[in-house]
Amino acid sequence: MSQLYSVPEHIKAKAKIDNDGYKKLYQQSIDDPEGFWSEHGQRITWFTPYTKVKNTSFEPGKVSVKWYKDGTLNACYNCVDRHLADKADKTAIIWEGDDPSVDKHITYRELHKEVSRFANGLKKLGIGKGDRVAIYMPMVPEAAYAMLACARIGAVHSVIFGGFSPNAIADRINDCQAKAIITADEGRRGGSTIGLKANVDKAIADDACPTLEHSIVCRVTEGDVDWTEGRDVWWHELVGNVSDECQAEVMNAEDPLFILYTSGSTGKPKGVVHTTGGYMVYASMTHEYVFDYQEDEVYWCAADVGWITGHSYIVYGPLANGATTLMFEGVPTYPGVGRIGEIVDKHKVNILYTAPTAIRALMAKGDEAAKTSTRESLRILGSVGEPINPEAWEWYHRAIGNGKCPIMDTWWQTENGGILITPLPGATDLKPGSATRPFFGIQPALVDSEGNIQEGEAEGGLVIKDSWPGQMRTLWGDHERFEQTYFSTFKGMYFSGDGARRDADGYYWITGRMDDVLNVSGHRLGTAEIESALVAHKSVAEAAVVGYPHDLKGQGIYVYVTPVEGVEVTDELTKEVRNWVRSELSPIATPDLIHWTTGLPKTRSGKIMRRILRKIAANEYENLGDTSTLADPSVVDSLIENRMNK
Ligand code: 6R9
């Protein structure tokens, strides 16, 4: 039995919701979703009020998700303009540079000016409502300005994580037919620079992205860049002589706000589409309640804007709530392992939301990470991205939170728009490793392989039985794949792809992905994507990729490859293949272990038996299951014999 951490008195005293409050509101949200979301939709400022609230169906063949469908609003207006009346001089964004001596405070008034100017700049280039704009930026305030400026003029942004390589950039631009990309000369991270514009140049060279007309470049490091006249334009020149005023476009609640690509179990990344009204309601409401955000607190989500966590909990949620949100350019371990705590002390951070992978990296250094700071300002901690193991949870609680800050272990996905399963600071007693209970309006269930709902204490596939406002609406340009991916495994329910267990108290424990998706340091990667990068190498004939338990990364990438006939396998080649994946896809997809083999375990119909490969990678040789259907069972023995060491 793990220890139970009850709600600390000092948290309870201030909290917006206690346990009775949670139970009452939750019940109301399930008994009367229409009434509940009609009331809470009011937290957003609407240009035209909605009369419709929930129009959703999970019915096979007719999956459709619409919320507030006759309301109109603008997401940027909600994040910026509506705070000018009473919070113009409040800090909206605290930006902390990679270099610890550099930071910047941006007020809501300044944010309004910067965003409006850039929005006018975009308009000058002929970008408008409905156009898609890719954003490939480092963690600088301009990344947030760019997102908000798109939202202001009704353009649909698609942020591409700054760690992706040229091929991945090109795929994403082409899938959504982006008209422009916003990038920077270079980004800074952990004391080094990354040539972002150079990556974009490579991605779009030779007319590889035919829809792309403009590349807008923000000057960040002043590093040298190549320049293509007519296509490339400097951000600062674009906004050189534009007005500070830009009317926010009137958008329908169901107009797309952004597309964000994420990995699935098949090769091609999926363009997850989020729309405006429901997303804003859900992002802002979860931000307020999950972190018990109180006026004048400093809130820091240490994610990257390239991921959904950055969208919902650095930009849209906190800014919609008029909060002060901290944006950090660097990494938790630079210049030293104490950086997170130092930033907390420097800016008096009250709420810190980060990922287990960062926590484990600091924990690996003993208590070094806590030595250079007091972190006395901290009140609430958060965790997201992967299961947090109880040891890391306890360490985070003790060493970072000084034993007094409750940890919100938040489970959710790109597809969900916002947090689905989570404690609330003033309401939930905590169990290390459990994401605990559903947020308002969320009906999780556990199903067996036939889709039968399991009651009470149980384990199974984690599904959500009904819609919530922040849910994705479709996959860009492929509604059929959307239905197929999320609603066909268990008919009439949204299937998350994760497995979970529910204990006797009704608490949920996420057990991890049930499909071919890896979670490496909190980054989602499809094994198929890595495999297609591998087989694109001239010496690789066939590849199979699986995850294995990794102390720091959560999951490591274990690669089985067969060489092309006649190719000699050398250390040099292994290195080359590893670097190839880095540059073809992304450094985050770098294989940890590369296992050359002359054969892969296949069924007689030619399917690779990944179940076996996963077991071998995890060093679990007993219980390999039935290998009798293999075309050549001897392959397994040879794989075991040559298993790569950790
Ligand atoms: C927000 C985000 C989603 C996948 C998800 C699950 C894993 C996220 C978790 C968690 C256990 C948590 N995941 N939070 N697992 N406990 N608190 O991370 O979105 O990048 O789409 O990843 O991450 O496996 O399915 P995304």
Side-chain angles (χ1 to χ4, degrees), residues 192-236:
S192 46
T193 55
I194 305 144
L196 297 178
K197 178 166 195 306
N199 281 347
V200 170
D201 288 350
K202 263 189 222 143
I204 65 183
D206 304 324
D207 210 21
C209 300
T211 60
L212 199 89
E213 294 170 19
H214 311 282
S215 171
I216 304 162
V217 189
C218 178
R219 190 178 263 164
V220 173
T221 64
E222 305 193 6
D224 285 340
V225 289
D226 291 338
W227 204 256
T228 302
E229 281 309 327
R231 182 196 72 188
D232 297 346
V233 36
W234 285 110
W235 176 305
H236 60 268

Side-chain angles (χ1 to χ4, degrees), residues 260 262-263 307-309 313 353 356 383-388 408-416 418-419 421 433-435 494 496-499 509-515 517-519 522-524:
L260 187 58
T262 189
S263 298
W307 308 115
I308 190 69
T309 307
Y313 299 112
Y353 188 29
S383 172
V384 60
E386 54 180 313
I388 178 163
M408 303 304 112
D409 177 0
T410 63
W411 175 82
W412 62 296
Q413 315 172 289
T414 306
E415 293 86 341
N416 309 154
I419 295 162
I421 300 185
S434 171
Y494 167 82
S496 63
D498 281 333
W509 300 74
I510 312 300
T511 49
R513 301 290 308 191
M514 297 173 78
D515 53 14
V517 172
L518 306 183
N519 193 326
H523 300 312
R524 236 170 108 168

Side-chain angles (χ1 to χ4, degrees), residues 16 25 44 50 95 129 227 234 248 273 302 329 337 358 372 376 394 479 515 545 556 565 567:
K16 297 189 171 177
L25 272 179
I44 287 304
Y50 47 84
W95 177 73
K129 193 167 178 170
W227 204 256
W234 285 110
V273 176
E329 187 180 32
V337 72
T372 53
E376 260 161 16
E394 299 278 0
H479 196 70
D515 53 14
V545 173
E565 189 126 343
V567 165

Side-chain angles (χ1 to χ4, degrees), residues 128-154:
K129 193 167 178 170
D131 287 335
R132 274 83 60 207
V133 175
I135 299 179
Y136 182 69
M137 293 277 281
M139 285 288 288
V140 292
E142 285 80 1
Y145 304 163
M147 292 164 75
L148 291 166
C150 287
R152 193 166 191 88
I153 64 171

Side-chain angles (χ1 to χ4, degrees), residues 1-6 393-394 428-432 505 507:
M1 237 338 255
S2 60
Q3 199 187 329
L4 192 72
Y5 288 78
S6 46
W393 195 104
E394 299 278 0
T428 318
D429 293 339
L430 307 173
K431 298 182 191 181
D505 296 323
Y507 277 33

Side-chain angles (χ1 to χ4, degrees), residues 8 10-11 289-292 297-301 340-341 344 349-355 359 375-384 388 392-410 419 422-425 430:
H10 67 279
I11 298 289
Y289 289 107
V290 172
F291 302 107
D292 191 40
E297 285 197 316
V298 175
Y299 159 89
W300 177 19
C301 166
I340 287 201
V344 167
V349 173
N350 307 105
I351 302 165
L352 170 65
Y353 188 29
T354 187
I359 298 163
R375 302 162 314 286
E376 260 161 16
S377 55
L378 281 180
R379 200 168 70 84
I380 312 274
L381 297 173
S383 172
V384 60
I388 178 163
W393 195 104
E394 299 278 0
W395 184 85
Y396 190 29
H397 188 261
R398 176 181 60 77
I400 299 296
N402 297 326
K404 64 178 177 80
C405 307
I407 300 176
M408 303 304 112
D409 177 0
T410 63
I419 295 162
T422 180
L424 301 183
L430 307 173

Side-chain angles (χ1 to χ4, degrees), residues 352-601:
L352 170 65
Y353 188 29
T354 187
T357 185
I359 298 163
R360 287 192 303 264
L362 303 185
M363 185 173 80
K365 304 272 163 42
D367 282 355
E368 273 303 298
K371 285 211 174 109
T372 53
S373 56
T374 69
R375 302 162 314 286
E376 260 161 16
S377 55
L378 281 180
R379 200 168 70 84
I380 312 274
L381 297 173
S383 172
V384 60
E386 54 180 313
I388 178 163
N389 46 311
E391 301 71 45
W393 195 104
E394 299 278 0
W395 184 85
Y396 190 29
H397 188 261
R398 176 181 60 77
I400 299 296
N402 297 326
K404 64 178 177 80
C405 307
I407 300 176
M408 303 304 112
D409 177 0
T410 63
W411 175 82
W412 62 296
Q413 315 172 289
T414 306
E415 293 86 341
N416 309 154
I419 295 162
L420 298 194
I421 300 185
T422 180
L424 301 183
T428 318
D429 293 339
L430 307 173
K431 298 182 191 181
S434 171
T436 78
R437 305 184 292 193
F439 190 73
F440 307 126
I442 305 303
Q443 298 186 54
L446 301 175
V447 294
D448 67 12
S449 52
E450 267 86 61
N452 302 308
I453 292 185
Q454 313 289 296
E455 303 294 341
E457 277 181 73
E459 189 163 344
L462 178 55
V463 298
I464 313 291
K465 291 199 290 189
D466 199 359
S467 184
W468 62 97
Q471 183 174 26
M472 72 184 287
R473 302 307 197 243
T474 191
L475 285 170
W476 184 259
D478 201 347
H479 196 70
E480 206 179 309
R481 187 175 174 207
F482 167 66
E483 288 213 21
Q484 187 61 30
T485 309
Y486 303 103
F487 300 92
S488 70
T489 321
F490 305 112
K491 303 253 177 305
M493 296 177 261
Y494 167 82
F495 178 44
S496 63
D498 281 333
R501 179 167 70 76
R502 188 174 46 228
D503 70 16
D505 296 323
Y507 277 33
Y508 287 85
W509 300 74
I510 312 300
T511 49
R513 301 290 308 191
M514 297 173 78
D515 53 14
D516 290 324
V517 172
L518 306 183
N519 193 326
V520 180
S521 299
H523 300 312
R524 236 170 108 168
L525 290 166
T527 52
E529 280 172 87
I530 308 174
E531 285 162 9
S532 66
L534 283 161
V535 295
H537 188 279
K538 61 181 188 319
S539 304
V540 175
E542 207 172 22
V545 173
V546 298
Y548 71 98
H550 188 289
D551 287 347
L552 285 182
K553 299 179 173 184
Q555 269 190 312
I557 301 175
Y558 194 111
V559 166
Y560 297 89
V561 264
T562 59
V564 162
E565 189 126 343
V567 165
E568 194 197 342
V569 175
T570 59
D571 289 349
E572 220 26 64
L573 179 62
T574 304
K575 215 196 249 162
E576 190 184 305
V577 167
R578 178 173 285 125
N579 288 334
W580 171 263
V581 177
R582 284 178 73 89
S583 61
E584 281 290 293
L585 191 56
S586 165
I588 59 182
T590 309
D592 292 285
L593 297 170
I594 298 183
H595 184 155
W596 293 95
T597 169
T598 47
L600 291 168

